[in-house]
Amino acid sequence: MSQSEDTATRPTVRLRPKAEARAIRHGFPWVYADELVTDRRTKAIAPGTIATLEDGERRPLATVTVNPNSKIIGRVMSRDAEAVIDRDWIAAKLSRALEMRARLFDAPFYRLVHAEADGLPGVIIDRFGDAAVIQPNAAWSEVMIADLEAALAEVTGVTTIIKNAAGRARALEGLDEEMLTLRGGIEAPVEVPMNGAIYLADLLGGQKTGLFYDQRPNHAFAARLAEGARVLDVFSHVGGFALAALAGGATSALSVDASAPALDLATKGAAAMGMADRFATRQGDAFDTLDALSREGERFDLVICDPPAFAPAKPALQAGLRAYERIARMAAPLVEPGGYLVLCSCSHAADLSQFRAACTRGIGKAGRSAQLIHTGYAGPDHPMLPQLAESGYLKSLFFRLD
């Protein structure tokens, strides 16, 4: 049975008189805790409950999901204050998301749902052929996980569904961590064809959902620079840029990562491509490895650094920008004159201008000058909500160095 609700009996929450209702009317998807009247009744609402949001004059404004444990106390599910949030509603959102991906991609390997931008607040779903991984990062999706699973199977036909409930986003919602197979099962890493390369995604034990689809267009751009090149891919995970570069004609690719299991998957991906002889790995701390390669006199035609988020939130911004500058300063000397340096950030807190300035400082401190030839972002399966700047998190800068 689908969880359903009676809109007449569900709770009501109200914006404070000075809160900006216009932003919600115009599509902003969040209500912060200091914008809502949080009396004893509101604080007692169970996390993930569907409620009607009213403005300061008690006029119905939207249908929201409420989580009193989160700074984002309300997430807009629909600007229709009488919308019924049930399995059919979820299925309609999934169908809309699927229709766009089916137009854009010739194989079913992509991010199917990108949270608020696809109308399912806090929910990430990555598809890997007949399997899918759900990250239910908002309380409502935890409460309605059975409906999410059933609708996902119905709409897409996937036979394996995995719940990957881990990470910072869930902690901010007051949710626990859990890895669970909801439907079907999977015995081995999944082969994912992308940009002419073959990646192996560990859906049960890998980082996030097992693969980072967001860099797909940037992998493709880097591959265009890789023909005949020696390539260094730092923070490589399962071979992201390195395997794409090999598919683009690189003579060799070296993947650096702290994770031995990730590098093992990268090696298996290169073997599946028939390019194991051109691929090598080096396990270790990225900064230490960059330093060691420099001391060894190594040089490359294309160097990519795609680190985890150094500035995931505002308190970490300055330290994160210093880390990005340091990466650029250490990587630039490894690039042959006329070669290319790609520097990436997935930090929400560091905007493009701040990230670009940090990278430019680092390149300059390394004694190199550069042209910025391209700025890349996440692919179209990671849509942005125009009202939510945080959704435009990924930045990839492509420099040519003198």
Side-chain angles (χ1 to χ4, degrees):
M1 281 289 292
S2 167
Q3 174 178 316
S4 59
E5 40 118 22
D6 181 353
T7 59
T9 60
R10 70 189 185 191
T12 298
V13 293
R14 189 172 79 257
L15 291 177
R16 295 183 179 185
K18 292 185 179 180
E20 182 54 84
R22 188 187 314 173
I24 301 293
R25 290 193 178 96
H26 291 173
F28 191 75
W30 294 344
V31 180
Y32 295 104
D34 60 0
E35 296 178 310
L36 205 66
V37 175
T38 48
D39 53 19
R40 185 182 305 173
R41 180 187 60 83
T42 300
K43 291 178 180 178
I45 293 175
T49 297
I50 304 298
T52 298
L53 175 67
E54 296 179 341
D55 65 15
E57 274 68 55
R58 297 185 180 273
R59 293 173 296 199
L61 191 59
T63 296
V64 298
T65 174
V66 178
N67 184 356
N69 299 331
S70 174
K71 288 184 178 179
I72 303 174
I73 195 170
R75 293 175 185 263
V76 176
M77 304 293 278
S78 172
R79 283 190 276 175
D80 177 359
E82 297 184 355
V84 175
I85 309 301
D86 57 10
R87 186 177 301 177
D88 290 341
W89 181 89
I90 294 171
K93 296 292 184 183
L94 290 172
S95 295
R96 184 174 185 274
L98 177 63
E99 188 275 336
M100 184 179 78
R101 274 72 175 183
R103 286 176 181 270
L104 293 170
F105 301 102
D106 57 7
F109 297 90
Y110 40 67
R111 174 149 295 180
L112 175 64
V113 170
H114 195 51
E116 274 78 354
D118 279 304
L120 290 166
V123 175
I124 299 295
I125 302 176
D126 282 352
R127 183 174 183 182
F128 300 87
D130 293 331
V133 179
I134 303 176
Q135 288 183 293
N137 293 332
W140 79 269
S141 55
E142 187 71 41
V143 172
M144 298 186 69
I145 191 67
D147 287 318
L148 259 173
E149 176 218 346
L152 179 60
E154 174 192 333
V155 169
T156 66
V158 296
T159 54
T160 293
I161 299 176
I162 294 162
K163 172 187 172 185
N164 182 341
R168 178 176 174 270
R170 281 181 64 85
L172 292 173
E173 284 278 296
L175 303 172
D176 61 3
E177 297 195 359
E178 181 182 44
M179 177 74 77
L180 189 65
T181 300
L182 300 175
R183 180 180 295 242
I186 201 155
E187 299 296 326
V190 176
E191 285 197 1
V192 178
M194 193 161 61
N195 291 320
I198 297 174
Y199 298 90
L200 289 175
D202 182 356
L203 307 192
L204 292 171
Q207 294 181 41
K208 302 287 186 178
T209 63
L211 194 71
F212 298 108
Y213 282 129
D214 53 1
Q215 285 282 25
R216 184 193 322 240
N218 301 313
H219 290 163
F221 194 91
R224 293 166 62 188
L225 304 174
E227 185 174 1
R230 294 185 67 218
V231 177
L232 172 64
D233 181 13
V234 186
F235 305 99
S236 183
H237 190 226
V238 297
F241 280 94
L243 297 185
L246 287 176
T251 57
S252 68
L254 174 61
S255 278
V256 174
D257 203 272
S259 168
L263 290 177
D264 181 58
L265 290 173
T267 300
K268 290 176 179 175
M273 296 166 62
M275 298 182 180
D277 59 327
R278 289 191 267 157
F279 183 72
T281 65
R282 193 154 169 168
Q283 184 194 358
D285 174 81
F287 293 100
D288 292 344
T289 304
L290 286 170
D291 182 56
L293 289 169
S294 184
R295 286 187 281 103
E296 292 163 18
E298 292 283 2
R299 295 293 182 270
F300 302 86
D301 305 297
L302 173 61
V303 175
I304 305 104
C305 297
D306 183 17
F310 287 148
K314 287 183 180 178
L317 176 59
Q318 294 308 315
L321 291 174
R322 288 192 295 272
Y324 288 124
E325 179 182 322
R326 184 184 175 204
I327 282 282
R329 178 172 54 80
M330 297 182 73
L334 295 172
V335 181
E336 291 279 12
Y340 299 91
L341 175 61
V342 184
L343 300 169
C344 308
S345 166
C346 59
S347 292
H348 290 274
D351 66 24
L352 176 60
S353 62
Q354 292 169 317
F355 174 58
R356 188 170 53 217
C359 293
T360 304
R361 283 195 302 272
I363 293 169
K365 287 182 179 180
R368 304 295 293 272
S369 57
Q371 295 171 289
L372 178 61
I373 66 167
H374 178 67
T375 301
Y377 304 95
D381 53 343
H382 291 64
M384 293 190 296
L385 204 60
Q387 300 88 345
L388 199 62
E390 289 88 342
S391 59
Y393 64 100
L394 182 67
K395 290 83 65 177
S396 294
L397 304 178
F398 290 74
F399 295 95
R400 189 179 192 192
L401 302 193
D402 292 336

